[in-house]
Amino acid sequence: MASGEDSCENGGTKGSMWDLDQKLDQPMDEEAGRIKNMYREKKFSAILLLRLAFQSLGVVYGDLGTSPLYVFYNTFPDGIKDTEEIIGALSLIIYSLTLIPLLKYVFLVCRANDNGQGGTFALYSLLRRHAKVNTVPNQHRTDEELTTYSRSIFHENSFAAKTKKWLEANGFRKNSLLMLVLVGTCMVIGDGILTPAISVLSASGGIKVDHPQMSNDVVVIVAVVILVGLFSMQHYGTDKVGFIFAPIVLLWFILIGGIGMYNILKYDRKIVRAISPVYIYHYFRRGGKRSWTSLGGIMLSITGTEALFADLAHFPVSAIQLAFTVVVFPCLLLAYSGQAAYLMKNSEHVRDAFYRSIPDTMYWPMFIVATLAAIVASQATISATFSIIKQALALGCFPRVKVVHTSKKFLGQIYIPDINWILMLLCIAVTAGFRNQSQIGNAYGTAVVIVMLATTFLMTLIMLLVWRCHWIIVLIFTVLSLLVECTYFSAVLFKVDQGGWVPLVIAAAFLIVMYIWHYGTVKRYEFEMHSKVSLGWILGLGPSLGLVRVPGVGLVYTELASGVPRIFSHFITNLPAIHSVVVFVCVKYLPVYTVPEDERFLVKRIGPKNFHMFRCVARYGYKDLHKKDDDFEKKLFASLFLFVRLESMMEGCSDSEEYSLYGQQTQQSRDMMLEDNPNTNISYADSTISTIDSIVPANANHTGMSSGQVSSHTEIDETEFLNASRDAGVVHILGNTVIRARRDAGFHKKIAIDYIYAFLRKICRENSVIFNVPHESLLNVGQIFYV
């Protein structure tokens, strides 16, 4: 490759090659700069920062802000025996809000975002880029050159490098890490069911305060009607009604903060003494086990904290921090302190502490705002559930479901119809089944604390591998976090039989589905890898591949980023013809949140030119979405034509008359060639330098013409041939690999593969639908694989 560049320079043809490189590289540089500086730019303008902080209230803080509706009732479900308990509980709430949402999440965990993306999968993606923990080894070294693929380099003897080796050395550790992520994901899905249930039911319960004689059935019916309306509106998308979310939540925080201040001044100004942690000690010493189990209710004051991190996508961290410290945190402290002051004089009203503490003139306005705030909180959690399922889908850990993009402005706003209706049914079942805030609160607390524990373990690895913190700092963070969260976890364990089993059952069901689907995905990929056809077999068939080459283009979809899939040999063994142009298409997801359009496709050639065989790898991030208006096929051919042009120009710069079989070189020699050519366009590097399966003629000058003339002539001929083949028709060839358990397999494997996995494959969407393949140009090739 280096000699080719030298010949270009000597021959005076470097100008055209350099111009093409500039055309190819410049958009990528602009995109990279835009992506890397996107969040940094938001910090420059104070007005923009204030606007984003205001908008974040409606998206991020709805769940956390509605907790005052039900915290005190779930803390004292059996009533208050001593008013000193109220001060101790308030002190616990104050320090819980300070330690978990404020210090841990807002000022620490939110910094562990993946280019602005938050949540469990964002942490996992960061780890996958810094350590080889992917359970499906389909990554290529060129993937690491993406502008969004940022990672750190370790010193060989550093503690981070040792941690990386320890994590990569054992398959069990990789699977354990994946299971931790899946458990956290399943608990977030549980939050998507329990948040609407407890928020809407608590807000609707305010009707009984003004009408005590009203039956609880009426409250449940009102809550169910609101929930049905909420889930029925999901297909419109958040952006259609999102503009009213922030004003509603801001009004909510101002009202609860103002009413809290009013109650402190009216009922008990000495309630501020709860700031002293001494009252926490007195609380546990006086109450014993009762005080310990009440932690399950106190922990509800920090619910929504995980959603804060998961919904980080469209806001810079500074806006999140500003909104929390200026509005959310002080208003919540005033709200809880005001309720505590009211209960000091009216301890018998703990069941309806929120609504009872509202002045009579403000009752109905607060009821309306509380209901709207509960809907906003539910909306944020439902949207986060859609987002995390989309990420699980990209990771190969969730069955293929329909994903609808609801906004042209925001990539992250999606709607998943199947999941929406499942969430609605489960949410209604929980609401109508329990009919009680206390039991739903017990279930909610269990889900929240498990998600927090999963985040703590992932953050420990992030601090070691990504931030490269000193191990003492990591140890302090881990110990303090686990001390608080394990304390809460031990408390919710006492309430497993009082509703806490609900999220465990829901999470177990989703975990079984996700793990079995991932297991099947891994086995299918291993089957493809082990049964792929050698390049020598293809070369032995000759230019016609031993068959009739009919006009047209055959797009063969495969999960392999290198090698010839078995589906192709299966196809040509059983049919007497193949298309004149064959393109192996591999769609794979990378551990990045998005892949820029200019770097989406990686094009390679398979075999000599007269074979007319190519490979196209389409790379996506976990936030990217296949949309019908993307026109996947058109972009694929545009990339193919650009590759042909670039390849012809590279050949014209070479002075060698031999074919170079790069597939026979060692990995070391390929790495050296890449190092010698650092400025080569990444998306086409393998096509012009080295690939596992590329045979590229280094010179086409056989007639005495100048290299530039031959290059241009070859390029025009092949471009015309490709255009003619495309006009003749494009056929999409998809593999339909059926997995079955062996006869000697264990009973559990037969149940998992032959029944559960088979059922999931039957009800999930076909690949042809996801790729928007026209039915008339689709060809399925089936094969059976036993595990």
Side-chain angles (χ1 to χ4, degrees), residues 521-569:
T521 301
V522 172
K523 290 300 180 184
R524 279 176 48 233
Y525 182 79
E526 290 177 353
F527 169 70
E528 293 276 359
M529 282 294 295
H530 294 153
S531 62
K532 66 181 180 181
V533 181
S534 66
L535 182 61
W537 183 80
I538 294 292
L539 295 175
L541 297 176
S544 67
L545 303 180
L547 303 168
V548 177
R549 300 297 291 268
V550 298
V553 178
L555 300 181
V556 183
Y557 289 83
T558 173
E559 296 185 8
L560 297 179
S562 62
V564 180
R566 187 187 180 192
I567 176 183
F568 181 70
S569 64

Side-chain angles (χ1 to χ4, degrees), residues 42-59:
K42 292 181 180 178
K43 298 178 182 178
F44 293 158
S45 171
I47 297 177
L48 178 60
L49 185 62
L50 288 174
R51 182 168 65 87
L52 291 170
F54 168 70
Q55 292 176 347
S56 70
L57 291 173
V59 176

Side-chain angles (χ1 to χ4, degrees), residues 188-347:
V188 171
I189 296 173
D191 284 351
I193 296 166
L194 296 170
T195 298
I198 192 170
S199 299
V200 174
L201 185 62
S202 300
S204 303
I207 301 176
K208 289 193 67 176
V209 176
D210 194 60
H211 300 83
Q213 72 282 1
M214 184 178 292
S215 171
N216 194 51
D217 294 338
V218 177
V219 177
V220 173
I221 291 173
V222 171
V224 169
V225 170
I226 294 174
L227 289 171
V228 171
L230 173 64
F231 283 99
S232 299
M233 292 174 58
Q234 291 301 312
H235 68 281
Y236 290 110
T238 306
D239 64 318
K240 302 294 190 302
V241 291
F243 67 94
I244 64 171
F245 282 3
I248 289 174
V249 177
L250 179 61
L251 178 62
W252 166 257
F253 279 119
I254 292 174
L255 288 175
I256 63 174
I259 292 173
M261 177 66 73
Y262 169 80
N263 286 332
I264 292 172
L265 297 175
K266 180 179 179 180
Y267 294 103
D268 190 352
R269 299 185 182 185
K270 294 182 180 179
I271 199 68
V272 295
R273 56 188 169 152
I275 296 176
S276 172
V278 173
Y279 290 96
I280 296 177
Y281 168 74
H282 292 317
Y283 181 73
F284 287 116
R285 190 190 67 175
R286 185 181 296 108
K289 182 180 177 182
R290 182 172 182 269
S291 297
W292 193 267
T293 56
S294 70
L295 287 174
I298 291 172
M299 199 198 62
L300 296 180
S301 63
I302 56 176
T303 56
T305 305
E306 192 66 33
L308 178 155
F309 180 47
D311 290 328
L312 189 65
H314 300 298
F315 305 101
V317 175
S318 55
I320 299 290
Q321 293 171 341
L322 180 64
F324 189 84
T325 53
V326 174
V327 179
V328 179
F329 187 64
C331 288
L332 285 176
L333 292 184
L334 287 173
Y336 287 117
S337 299
Q339 285 188 46
Y342 175 81
L343 290 174
M344 291 293 287
K345 305 295 184 182
N346 305 276
S347 59

Side-chain angles (χ1 to χ4, degrees), residues 71 83 101 121 140 253 328 332 592 690:
V71 167
T83 55
F121 274 99
H140 192 269
F253 279 119
V328 179
L332 285 176
V592 296
S690 66

Side-chain angles (χ1 to χ4, degrees), residues 58 62 90 184 215 228 336 382 388 391-392 394 417 435 439 468 495 520 590 602 618 622 653 666 687 721 724 739 775:
L90 177 61
S215 171
V228 171
Y336 287 117
I382 294 168
I388 203 164
Q391 295 173 16
R435 312 161 61 90
Q439 289 186 320
R468 289 176 287 178
K495 298 188 176 182
L590 304 180
L602 181 69
Y622 56 82
C653 297
T666 64
S687 65
F721 182 79
I739 299 180
H775 184 70

Side-chain angles (χ1 to χ4, degrees), residues 47 127 147 290 359 389 426 453 467 514 526 650 692 701 726 777 780:
I47 297 177
L127 290 175
T147 53
R290 182 172 182 269
I389 287 178
L426 292 174
L453 285 170
W467 294 351
M514 295 172 75
E526 290 177 353
M650 300 295 277
I692 296 176
N701 188 0
R726 183 174 63 173
S777 61
N780 268 315

